[in-house]
Amino acid sequence: MSTKVCLVLTEKTIEKTLSALEKYKKFIDIAELRVDYLNQSEILYLRNFPERAGIPCILTVRRKSDGGNFTGGEGARMTIFARGLAFANSDPIKNFSYIDLESDFDSSGIEEAARAFDIKIIRSLHSKLPVKNIVKTLEGLCRFETDIPKFAFRANCLNDVSELFKASKLIQNQEYILSAMGPYGLCSRILSKKLNSQIVYTFTPEYIKKNKLEKELIDPETLEGLYRFSKIDSETAVYGVIGGDVNTSLSPKIHNQGFKHKNLNSIYIPISALSSKEALDFANLLNIKGLSVTAPFKSEIIPQINSISEASKFIGAVNTLVNENKKWFGCNTDVDGFEQALIEFLNEKDLRRYKVAIIGAGGAARAVAEVVKSLHGKACIFNRTAENAQNIAEKYKFKWALLDPINIKQLSVFSGLIIQTTNAGMEPNIDIDPLSFYTFSGKEKVFELIYRPETTKLLKRARAAGCQVCNGYKMLEYQAYHQFKAFAGKEYL
């Protein structure tokens, strides 16, 4: 069974709806007309919509209680469905192909009219919470053997999404639609084919942006262009990036371009998780072949993997996991990626003449400390938690200090090169400046590992003072090239 890509249409008028449809038509198989978004007067033109759309359409009037916009009574909703089905034509292209009826919707007349003209009924249940038994829930939705059950729920964590994939393996000879909503569910939309879900729902970029849902929803152009959805099959190898919040990461763009360029049947997806354990459980369930690891899992994941490179063991952080015969091997490409980007930025082969301030003491700071030491730099680790700074500093015989205005003198001494490794200032918290108490003289060189936004508050201040600055994009790119080789066994370029 091939999963159909559906565009959910949420415009206020039929004309705007048709123009949105036209824009993304080449990326989709079907369209869902959400009548609950239409102006009241537009309902008059409902019946002609499928013919004008020119592709199979779903008729949906979603109530407010189910996450939609419709606030009228059931009688009014029934009238809308009746209008959409009225004067059904023997030519199927002139009729709606599907009608979406909630599990508690009761009108034998409407259902019989739909079946008489071979209009498929989607029986849907939308829940704010996961349920214990997804298979049973799906089975309970069907009233007629040709009904397509649809269960959509908000995933509170990645484990909820894992349950969705487990359920999909238990369902035999049945068409169904499964959809996990919310940030943790995004990866399941991209992998709808692996779920054997009959439909994957996409939205226009305009709707996503307007409602600030970039971390939850996907548009059809991105689904095809970035993730090559139409090429995914049972043999497609899955890779991904795991972290606390990775849904807008640029890593999928880099890796998927590499897979496309090398003509590999592979896909790389974002996997946001609450813990490294649930991320690994999900990866094992789906037999994911390789993972990029980002904050805050770079150190905490180590005890859960089977083996680790000597360098990563010493650093105490990994950013790359490779699945070798169901065993995870961890290594760290941040070191090579950062070194390459830093040398390029400074245009020098070592750090002998630099006193370096490393801001932060997380997994990324450990990789940075490793590079600074190997390039013969002297450094001081500044961090809000003294113990974490001390742990890294002692390993490399560096100094350490509390990241606090009280240590501004110490920071000035080590300000030849400032390397900012924390998430402070990263989207969405762009107003944070981890060095707000420090005034740049213009002589400092500032390298920040953040790449989104391109220029943080910190970098803006440094640049305005005349400092030479660099963001983390080149590091991201270079470490990804090394990762790609670990994943695919081939050079990226």
Side-chain angles (χ1 to χ4, degrees), residues 168-456:
S168 73
K169 290 175 172 34
L170 301 172
I171 305 164
Q172 302 292 322
N173 308 317
Q174 161 82 64
E175 287 186 334
Y176 58 84
I177 300 163
L178 286 173
S179 183
M181 300 179 287
Y184 299 110
L186 181 68
C187 57
S188 70
R189 289 181 190 267
I190 301 165
L191 295 179
S192 290
K193 285 188 178 180
K194 300 277 184 185
L195 266 176
N196 290 319
S197 181
Q198 202 188 355
I199 293 173
V200 55
Y201 292 89
T202 64
F203 295 76
T204 65
E206 295 79 7
Y207 175 86
I208 294 170
K209 197 172 178 187
K210 183 184 168 190
N211 293 282
K212 297 188 169 73
L213 292 169
E214 288 88 350
K215 293 180 182 182
E216 301 190 22
L217 303 176
I218 194 161
D219 69 86
E221 190 169 0
T222 301
L223 188 64
E224 184 54 41
L226 178 55
Y227 297 105
R228 295 187 294 158
F229 186 79
S230 60
K231 301 276 194 294
I232 298 172
D233 58 29
S234 58
E235 302 301 310
T236 303
V238 181
Y239 297 85
V241 53
I242 58 169
D245 178 5
V246 294
N247 287 5
T248 55
S249 164
L250 289 181
S251 294
K253 186 181 176 190
I254 297 170
H255 285 278
N256 285 322
Q257 274 177 354
F259 291 143
K260 186 180 179 182
H261 180 62
K262 296 290 180 188
N263 203 22
L264 297 169
N265 185 8
S266 302
I267 181 179
Y268 182 104
I269 63 168
I271 305 164
S272 291
L274 286 174
S275 71
S276 55
K277 184 188 181 308
E278 67 168 6
L280 264 190
D281 287 346
F282 180 78
N284 288 328
L285 179 68
L286 271 72
N287 194 23
I288 288 175
K289 301 298 181 192
L291 291 168
S292 307
V293 184
T294 187
F297 302 153
K298 290 185 180 188
S299 298
E300 72 166 68
I301 205 163
I302 291 173
Q304 300 166 62
I305 59 179
N306 304 92
S307 59
I308 183 174
S309 70
E310 281 305 313
S312 298
K313 202 179 282 180
F314 182 75
I315 295 164
V318 295
N319 80 322
T320 307
L321 300 182
V322 180
N323 185 348
E324 297 171 344
N325 302 318
K326 305 208 179 228
K327 289 195 159 133
W328 291 101
F329 167 73
C331 60
N332 198 314
T333 68
D334 275 339
V335 173
D336 294 325
F338 175 66
E339 184 171 331
Q340 215 173 325
L342 183 67
I343 285 170
E344 202 174 273
F345 167 60
L346 297 174
N347 197 20
E348 295 188 42
K349 64 180 189 301
D350 60 45
L351 296 174
R352 284 176 205 276
R353 64 186 196 88
Y354 285 95
K355 284 193 169 179
V356 184
I358 299 172
I359 313 299
R366 290 165 184 271
V368 165
E370 175 73 18
V371 171
V372 171
K373 184 72 177 176
S374 72
L375 293 177
H376 311 291
K378 290 183 177 66
C380 183
I381 315 274
F382 293 86
N383 193 53
R384 286 169 192 265
T385 310
E387 191 187 348
N388 295 354
Q390 190 177 359
N391 285 344
I392 300 177
E394 285 176 354
K395 192 175 264 193
Y396 294 100
K397 298 187 169 52
F398 289 161
K399 293 188 182 304
W400 63 272
L402 208 58
L403 183 60
D404 187 272
I406 200 167
N407 288 317
I408 199 154
K409 258 191 181 157
Q410 179 83 330
L411 184 56
S412 300
V413 170
F414 284 87
S415 64
L417 172 63
I418 297 173
I419 303 168
Q420 204 292 96
T421 74
T422 77
N423 288 340
M426 191 162 91
E427 289 177 356
N429 306 310
I430 57 170
D431 289 327
I432 300 173
D433 179 345
L435 294 181
S436 54
F437 59 85
Y438 179 79
T439 306
F440 291 102
S441 68
K443 291 177 183 163
E444 302 90 345
K445 292 184 179 177
V446 185
F447 191 113
E448 184 166 49
L449 270 54
I450 293 170
Y451 60 87
R452 268 197 171 152
E454 207 173 297
T455 312
T456 60

Side-chain angles (χ1 to χ4, degrees), residues 64-67 126-130 151-156 160 181:
K64 201 95 173 167
S65 57
D66 296 308
H126 290 76
S127 173
K128 291 192 173 99
L129 296 164
F151 178 50
F153 69 93
R154 188 166 186 88
N156 295 320
D160 292 342
M181 300 179 287

